[in-house]
């Protein structure tokens, strides 16, 4: 990284803008493993099973979909339970991608 960007000598770069950086002789790898694990813990699904796709093609969500609202302390908006179900599906998909790097 030092050869490409001007850097101060504060040690090896590990985190940048919420991304984890791993540097080795093959190059730089970027991932968000820690962030995904924190999200899974926040929604209490860290022990859930991973899924292969993040959302089904038949899922339809509307803004005014009838249903019960979820705890607003978790969100900056007031989604319905069906929205939370879809979000949890996306998180379960992300759980299976924590070892993916760029």
């Amino acid at each position: 990284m030092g050869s490409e960007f001007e850097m101060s000598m504060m040690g090896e770069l590990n985190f940048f803008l919420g991304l984890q950086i791993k540097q080795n002789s093959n190059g730089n790898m970027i991932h968000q493993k820690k962030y995904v694990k924190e999200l899974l813990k926040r929604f209490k699904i860290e022990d859930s099973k991973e899924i292969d796709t993040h959302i089904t093609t038949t899922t339809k969500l509307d803004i005014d979909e009838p249903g019960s609202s979820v705890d607003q302390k978790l969100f900056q908006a007031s989604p319905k339970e069906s929205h939370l179900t879809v979000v949890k599906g996306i998180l379960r998909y992300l759980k299976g991608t924590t070892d993916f790097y760029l």
Side-chain angles (χ1 to χ4, degrees), residues 1-5 7 12-13 20-31 101-102:
M1 281 271 230
S3 64
E4 296 292 324
F5 302 99
M7 300 175 72
E12 185 176 318
L13 177 66
Q20 288 176 262
I21 314 292
K22 211 174 220 186
Q23 301 175 46
N24 62 28
S25 59
N26 295 329
N28 301 315
M29 297 185 293
I30 301 171
H31 65 94
Y101 292 83
L102 291 176

Side-chain angles (χ1 to χ4, degrees), residues 52-96:
D52 294 333
T53 58
H54 63 285
I55 193 167
T56 64
T57 56
T58 58
T59 301
K60 182 179 177 193
L61 297 174
D62 295 327
I63 293 173
D64 295 322
E65 183 175 354
S68 302
S69 294
V70 297
D71 184 3
Q72 287 186 346
K73 294 175 189 170
L74 294 175
F75 303 96
Q76 295 180 0
S78 56
K80 302 294 183 186
E81 284 184 23
S82 59
H83 297 148
L84 182 59
T85 300
V86 171
V87 169
K88 285 184 177 182
I90 293 168
L91 293 175
R92 288 176 56 208
Y93 167 75
L94 289 176
K95 182 179 182 181

